[in-house]
Coordinates of all heavy atoms in Angstrom, one line a residue:
D126 N -11.1 -23.7 36.7 CA -10.7 -22.6 37.6 C -11.9 -22.0 38.3 O -13.1 -22.2 37.8 CB -10.1 -21.5 36.8 CG -10.9 -20.9 35.7 OD1 -11.3 -21.7 34.8 OD2 -11.2 -19.8 35.7
Q127 N -11.7 -21.4 39.4 CA -12.8 -20.8 40.2 C -13.2 -19.4 39.6 O -12.3 -18.6 39.2 CB -12.4 -20.6 41.6 CG -12.2 -21.9 42.5 CD -13.4 -22.6 42.6 OE1 -13.4 -23.9 42.4 NE2 -14.4 -22.0 43.2
D128 N -14.5 -19.1 39.5 CA -15.0 -17.9 39.0 C -15.9 -17.2 39.9 O -16.6 -17.9 40.8 CB -15.6 -18.1 37.6 CG -14.7 -18.5 36.5 OD1 -13.7 -17.8 36.3 OD2 -15.0 -19.5 35.9
L129 N -16.0 -15.9 39.9 CA -17.0 -15.2 40.7 C -18.4 -15.6 40.2 O -18.7 -15.5 38.9 CB -16.8 -13.7 40.6 CG -17.7 -12.8 41.4 CD1 -16.9 -11.5 41.9 CD2 -19.0 -12.4 40.6
L130 N -19.3 -15.9 41.1 CA -20.7 -16.4 40.7 C -21.7 -15.3 41.2 O -21.6 -14.9 42.4 CB -20.9 -17.7 41.3 CG -22.3 -18.3 41.4 CD1 -22.8 -18.6 39.9 CD2 -22.5 -19.4 42.3
I131 N -22.6 -15.0 40.4 CA -23.9 -14.3 40.8 C -25.1 -15.2 40.4 O -25.1 -15.6 39.2 CB -24.0 -12.9 40.2 CG1 -22.7 -12.1 40.5 CG2 -25.2 -12.2 40.7 CD1 -22.7 -10.8 39.8
M132 N -26.0 -15.5 41.2 CA -27.2 -16.3 40.9 C -28.4 -15.7 41.5 O -28.4 -15.1 42.7 CB -27.0 -17.7 41.2 CG -26.7 -18.0 42.8 SD -26.6 -19.8 43.1 CE -28.4 -20.3 43.0
R133 N -29.5 -16.0 40.9 CA -30.9 -15.4 41.3 C -31.8 -16.5 41.4 O -31.9 -17.4 40.6 CB -31.2 -14.4 40.1 CG -32.7 -13.8 40.2 CD -32.7 -12.6 41.1 NE -33.8 -11.7 40.8 CZ -35.1 -11.9 41.3 NH1 -35.4 -12.8 42.2 NH2 -36.0 -11.1 41.0
T134 N -32.6 -16.5 42.4 CA -33.7 -17.4 42.6 C -35.1 -16.7 42.9 O -35.0 -15.4 43.3 CB -33.4 -18.3 43.8 OG1 -33.7 -17.7 45.1 CG2 -32.0 -18.9 43.8
D135 N -36.1 -17.4 42.8 CA -37.4 -16.8 43.3 C -37.5 -17.0 44.8 O -36.7 -17.4 45.5 CB -38.5 -17.3 42.5 CG -38.8 -18.9 42.7 OD1 -38.2 -19.4 43.7 OD2 -39.6 -19.4 42.1
S136 N -38.7 -16.6 45.3 CA -38.9 -16.7 46.7 C -39.0 -18.1 47.3 O -38.8 -18.2 48.6 CB -40.2 -15.9 47.1 OG -41.3 -16.6 46.4
N137 N -39.0 -19.1 46.5 CA -39.0 -20.5 46.9 C -37.7 -21.1 46.6 O -37.6 -22.4 46.8 CB -40.1 -21.3 46.3 CG -41.5 -20.7 46.6 OD1 -41.8 -20.6 47.8 ND2 -42.4 -20.4 45.7
G138 N -36.7 -20.3 46.3 CA -35.4 -20.9 46.0 C -35.2 -21.6 44.6 O -34.2 -22.3 44.4
V139 N -36.2 -21.4 43.7 CA -36.1 -22.0 42.3 C -35.1 -21.1 41.6 O -35.2 -19.9 41.5 CB -37.4 -22.0 41.7 CG1 -37.3 -22.5 40.2 CG2 -38.4 -22.9 42.4
L140 N -34.1 -21.7 41.0 CA -33.1 -21.0 40.2 C -33.6 -20.4 39.0 O -34.3 -21.0 38.2 CB -32.0 -22.0 39.8 CG -30.7 -21.4 39.1 CD1 -30.0 -20.4 40.0 CD2 -29.8 -22.5 38.6
L141 N -33.5 -19.1 38.9 CA -33.9 -18.3 37.7 C -32.8 -18.1 36.7 O -32.9 -18.3 35.5 CB -34.4 -16.9 38.1 CG -35.6 -17.0 39.1 CD1 -36.0 -15.6 39.5 CD2 -36.8 -17.8 38.5
W142 N -31.6 -17.7 37.2 CA -30.4 -17.7 36.3 C -29.2 -17.6 37.2 O -29.3 -17.3 38.4 CB -30.5 -16.5 35.4 CG -30.6 -15.1 36.0 CD1 -31.8 -14.4 36.1 CD2 -29.6 -14.3 36.7 NE1 -31.6 -13.2 36.7 CE2 -30.3 -13.2 37.1 CE3 -28.4 -14.4 37.0 CZ2 -29.7 -12.1 37.8 CZ3 -27.7 -13.5 37.7 CH2 -28.3 -12.3 38.1
A143 N -28.0 -17.9 36.6 CA -26.8 -17.8 37.2 C -25.6 -17.6 36.2 O -25.7 -18.2 35.2 CB -26.4 -19.1 38.1
N144 N -24.7 -16.7 36.5 CA -23.6 -16.5 35.6 C -22.3 -16.4 36.4 O -22.3 -15.9 37.6 CB -23.8 -15.2 34.8 CG -24.8 -15.4 33.7 OD1 -24.7 -16.4 33.0 ND2 -25.7 -14.4 33.5
S145 N -21.2 -16.7 35.8 CA -19.9 -16.6 36.5 C -19.0 -15.6 35.6 O -19.2 -15.5 34.4 CB -19.3 -17.9 36.6 OG -18.8 -18.4 35.4
F146 N -18.0 -15.1 36.3 CA -17.2 -14.1 35.6 C -15.8 -14.3 36.1 O -15.5 -14.5 37.3 CB -17.7 -12.6 36.0 CG -19.1 -12.5 35.8 CD1 -20.0 -12.8 36.8 CD2 -19.5 -11.9 34.6 CE1 -21.4 -12.6 36.7 CE2 -21.0 -11.8 34.4 CZ -21.8 -12.1 35.4
G147 N -14.8 -14.3 35.2 CA -13.4 -14.4 35.6 C -12.4 -14.7 34.5 O -12.8 -14.7 33.3
G148 N -11.2 -14.8 34.9 CA -10.1 -15.0 33.9 C -9.6 -16.4 34.0 O -10.4 -17.4 34.2
S149 N -8.4 -16.6 33.6 CA -7.8 -18.0 33.6 C -7.3 -18.5 34.9 O -6.9 -19.6 35.1 CB -6.6 -18.0 32.6 OG -5.6 -17.0 33.0
A150 N -7.3 -17.6 36.0 CA -6.9 -18.1 37.3 C -8.2 -18.1 38.1 O -9.3 -18.4 37.6 CB -6.0 -17.1 37.9
D151 N -8.2 -17.9 39.5 CA -9.3 -18.0 40.3 C -9.9 -16.7 40.8 O -9.1 -15.7 41.1 CB -8.9 -18.8 41.6 CG -8.6 -20.2 41.3 OD1 -9.0 -20.7 40.2 OD2 -8.0 -20.8 42.1
E152 N -11.2 -16.5 40.7 CA -11.9 -15.4 41.2 C -13.0 -15.9 42.3 O -13.5 -17.0 42.2 CB -12.7 -14.6 40.1 CG -11.7 -13.8 39.2 CD -10.9 -14.6 38.3 OE1 -11.4 -15.6 37.7 OE2 -9.7 -14.3 38.2
T153 N -13.2 -15.0 43.2 CA -14.2 -15.3 44.3 C -15.0 -14.0 44.5 O -14.5 -12.9 44.5 CB -13.5 -15.6 45.6 OG1 -12.7 -16.8 45.3 CG2 -14.5 -15.9 46.7
G154 N -16.3 -14.2 44.7 CA -17.3 -13.1 45.0 C -17.6 -13.2 46.5 O -17.9 -14.2 47.1
Y155 N -17.6 -12.0 47.1 CA -17.8 -11.9 48.5 C -19.1 -11.1 48.8 O -19.7 -11.3 50.0 CB -16.7 -11.2 49.2 CG -15.5 -12.1 49.3 CD1 -14.4 -11.9 48.5 CD2 -15.5 -13.2 50.2 CE1 -13.2 -12.7 48.6 CE2 -14.4 -14.0 50.3 CZ -13.2 -13.8 49.5 OH -12.2 -14.6 49.6
S156 N -19.5 -10.2 48.0 CA -20.7 -9.4 48.3 C -21.4 -9.0 47.0 O -20.8 -8.8 46.0 CB -20.3 -8.2 49.1 OG -21.4 -7.4 49.4
V157 N -22.7 -8.9 47.1 CA -23.6 -8.4 46.0 C -24.7 -7.5 46.5 O -25.1 -7.7 47.6 CB -24.1 -9.6 45.2 CG1 -25.1 -10.5 46.1 CG2 -24.8 -9.2 43.9
C158 N -25.1 -6.6 45.7 CA -26.3 -5.7 46.1 C -27.1 -5.4 44.8 O -26.6 -5.4 43.7 CB -25.9 -4.5 46.9 SG -24.9 -3.3 45.9
L159 N -28.2 -4.9 45.1 CA -29.1 -4.4 44.0 C -28.8 -3.1 43.5 O -28.6 -2.1 44.4 CB -30.6 -4.4 44.4 CG -31.7 -4.0 43.5 CD1 -31.8 -5.0 42.3 CD2 -33.0 -3.9 44.2
A160 N -28.6 -2.9 42.3 CA -28.3 -1.5 41.7 C -29.5 -0.6 41.5 O -30.6 -1.2 41.4 CB -27.5 -1.6 40.5
Q161 N -29.4 0.7 41.4 CA -30.5 1.5 41.1 C -31.3 1.2 39.9 O -32.6 1.5 39.8 CB -30.1 3.1 41.1 CG -29.8 3.6 42.4 CD -29.5 5.1 42.3 OE1 -29.1 5.6 41.3 NE2 -29.9 5.8 43.4
D162 N -30.6 0.7 38.8 CA -31.2 0.5 37.5 C -31.9 -1.0 37.5 O -32.4 -1.4 36.5 CB -30.3 0.6 36.4 CG -29.0 -0.4 36.5 OD1 -29.0 -1.2 37.5 OD2 -28.2 -0.3 35.6
G163 N -31.9 -1.7 38.6 CA -32.5 -3.0 38.6 C -31.5 -4.1 38.4 O -31.9 -5.3 38.5
G164 N -30.3 -3.7 38.0 CA -29.2 -4.8 37.8 C -28.6 -5.1 39.1 O -29.1 -4.8 40.3
F165 N -27.4 -5.7 39.1 CA -26.7 -6.1 40.3 C -25.2 -5.7 40.2 O -24.7 -5.6 39.2 CB -26.8 -7.6 40.6 CG -28.2 -8.0 40.7 CD1 -29.0 -8.6 39.5 CD2 -29.0 -7.9 41.8 CE1 -30.2 -9.0 39.6 CE2 -30.3 -8.2 41.8 CZ -31.0 -8.8 40.8
V166 N -24.6 -5.5 41.3 CA -23.2 -5.2 41.3 C -22.6 -6.1 42.5 O -23.1 -6.2 43.5 CB -22.9 -3.6 41.6 CG1 -23.4 -3.2 42.9 CG2 -21.4 -3.4 41.5
A167 N -21.5 -6.7 42.1 CA -20.8 -7.6 43.1 C -19.3 -7.3 43.2 O -18.8 -6.7 42.3 CB -21.0 -9.1 42.6
C168 N -18.8 -7.7 44.2 CA -17.3 -7.5 44.4 C -16.6 -8.7 45.0 O -17.2 -9.6 45.6 CB -17.0 -6.3 45.3 SG -17.4 -6.6 47.1
G169 N -15.3 -8.8 44.8 CA -14.5 -9.9 45.3 C -13.0 -9.8 44.9 O -12.4 -8.7 45.0
I170 N -12.5 -11.0 44.6 CA -11.1 -11.1 44.2 C -10.9 -11.4 42.7 O -11.7 -12.3 42.2 CB -10.3 -12.1 45.1 CG1 -10.1 -11.7 46.4 CG2 -9.0 -12.5 44.4 CD1 -9.5 -12.7 47.3
Y171 N -10.1 -10.7 42.0 CA -9.6 -11.1 40.6 C -8.3 -11.7 40.6 O -7.4 -11.2 41.1 CB -9.6 -9.9 39.8 CG -9.2 -10.1 38.3 CD1 -10.0 -10.8 37.5 CD2 -7.9 -9.6 37.9 CE1 -9.5 -11.0 36.1 CE2 -7.5 -9.9 36.6 CZ -8.2 -10.5 35.7 OH -7.8 -10.8 34.5
G172 N -8.2 -13.0 40.2 CA -7.0 -13.7 40.2 C -6.0 -13.5 39.0 O -4.8 -13.9 39.1
G173 N -6.5 -12.9 38.0 CA -5.7 -12.6 36.8 C -5.2 -13.8 36.0 O -6.1 -14.6 35.6

Side-chain angles (χ1 to χ4, degrees):
D126 58 299
Q127 296 291 131
D128 294 308
L129 183 149
L130 166 71
I131 304 174
M132 61 178 281
R133 170 88 154 87
T134 77
D135 67 11
S136 60
N137 295 309
V139 176
L140 183 65
L141 301 179
W142 54 259
N144 282 317
S145 71
F146 310 88
S149 57
D151 291 339
E152 284 73 41
T153 299
Y155 288 106
S156 182
V157 65
C158 67
L159 181 66
Q161 281 190 333
D162 63 2
F165 303 98
V166 62
C168 71
I170 288 179
Y171 175 71

